[in-house]
Amino acid sequence: MESKEQIANAAEQLFLKYGVRSVTMDDIAKQLGISKKTIYQYFADKDEVVELATLRILEREKKLLAEVQERSENAIHELYLFTRYIRQHIVEVNPSILFDIQKYHRGAWKIYQDFKGSVFLQTIESSIRKGMEEGHFRADIKPEILAKLRIEQVNLAFNNEIFPKHEFDWTEVHLQIFYNFCYGLLTTEGVELFEKYAKTLTTHATKN
């Protein structure tokens, strides 16, 4: 018999690929080769499935943020590592996922909002302050303001009404917004270092 975590994992993969609204409990059961009744032994309804899947996704994001900060040589290197992550993974995510959660699954949306207002916000603020101390980011910026701006930029990039996936390369949308944000932070020295890392990223992509 499938476990609760296995069901959540299957649901998560479907949500990321097809969006939340379009995936039914029947789809999840079919993906696992089990009956829908088995799923209801662990979950009262789809809301609970979406909430657990959301928690799992955000826990991975939290782990990623911590790993990037631990591995990074400096704040510019953090930007580089996040850029590489966007290139490798963002294309796998269905653009409707945030909209679907916000509109149809209030519990999951609250989980996301709480994460955004704590972990995500604190991580960005910390990175900006680090870059300012290193002299790579401008001394006149307000980290608490720009951290919130960055969060809203992420939400914007996920908005399929503004950037329909059939019209835009979604990876490019995220990268363009991200680069624009980065260059607004950087000092002259920061720009030089950032572009040094960016060349490494381009070379790596060409080889692959």
Side-chain angles (χ1 to χ4, degrees), residues 67-81 130 134 136 193 196-197:
E67 287 177 351
V68 165
Q69 288 192 313
E70 184 178 344
R71 290 174 53 199
S72 63
E73 301 164 358
N74 49 59
I76 304 295
H77 192 217
E78 284 185 26
L79 296 180
Y80 160 76
L81 292 175
K130 178 180 178 181
E134 294 168 343
H136 295 143
L193 186 56
K196 176 184 175 182
Y197 282 119

Side-chain angles (χ1 to χ4, degrees), residues 154-168:
V154 171
N155 288 340
L156 177 67
F158 274 102
N159 192 319
N160 197 46
E161 292 183 359
I162 297 176
F163 297 110
K165 200 167 185 180
H166 66 277
E167 294 181 20
F168 293 90

Side-chain angles (χ1 to χ4, degrees), residues 3-188:
S3 70
K4 187 172 185 177
E5 284 297 319
Q6 287 173 315
I7 294 169
N9 180 63
E12 177 190 324
Q13 299 309 311
L14 291 171
F15 294 154
L16 289 171
K17 185 174 183 179
Y18 300 109
V20 176
R21 188 184 181 192
S22 63
V23 175
T24 65
M25 298 292 262
D26 285 313
D27 293 328
I28 299 169
K30 183 178 179 181
Q31 176 79 0
L32 289 166
I34 61 176
S35 69
K36 189 164 61 172
K37 183 179 179 181
T38 301
I39 297 178
Y40 284 117
Q41 291 178 3
Y42 296 99
F43 298 94
D45 51 30
K46 184 179 175 181
D47 278 334
E48 287 193 4
V49 179
V50 176
E51 287 170 19
L52 182 54
T54 301
L55 279 170
R56 287 165 53 91
I57 292 169
L58 293 179
E59 281 300 315
R60 282 205 308 277
E61 292 295 311
K62 183 178 180 179
K63 183 178 179 181
L64 168 72
L65 293 172
E67 287 177 351
V68 165
Q69 288 192 313
E70 184 178 344
R71 290 174 53 199
S72 63
E73 301 164 358
N74 49 59
I76 304 295
H77 192 217
E78 284 185 26
L79 296 180
Y80 160 76
L81 292 175
F82 282 126
T83 303
R84 190 170 68 180
Y85 174 77
I86 290 171
R87 283 184 180 273
Q88 292 174 343
H89 298 288
I90 207 69
V91 71
E92 301 169 2
V93 181
N94 189 288
S96 71
I97 191 166
L98 278 184
F99 175 80
D100 288 350
I101 291 174
Q102 181 179 12
K103 188 167 184 180
Y104 302 107
H105 300 279
R106 292 184 179 180
W109 182 246
K110 185 179 186 307
I111 290 169
Y112 171 73
Q113 291 290 88
D114 289 345
F115 177 87
K116 185 176 76 171
S118 56
V119 176
F120 197 15
L121 185 66
Q122 291 170 12
T123 301
I124 297 172
E125 276 196 48
S126 174
S127 295
I128 293 175
R129 294 186 192 281
K130 178 180 178 181
M132 293 172 71
E133 291 171 1
E134 294 168 343
H136 295 143
F137 295 170
R138 291 166 29 221
D140 61 331
I141 59 180
K142 300 293 184 183
E144 64 275 13
I145 294 175
L146 292 183
K148 287 181 179 290
L149 171 64
R150 178 58 191 149
I151 288 173
E152 295 310 314
Q153 286 181 337
V154 171
N155 288 340
L156 177 67
F158 274 102
N159 192 319
N160 197 46
E161 292 183 359
I162 297 176
F163 297 110
K165 200 167 185 180
H166 66 277
E167 294 181 20
F168 293 90
D169 180 320
W170 214 38
T171 302
E172 190 62 29
V173 169
H174 280 266
L175 286 173
Q176 285 289 316
I177 293 173
F178 183 64
Y179 282 137
N180 184 270
F181 176 77
C182 293
Y183 278 106
L185 299 174
L186 298 170
T187 60
T188 302

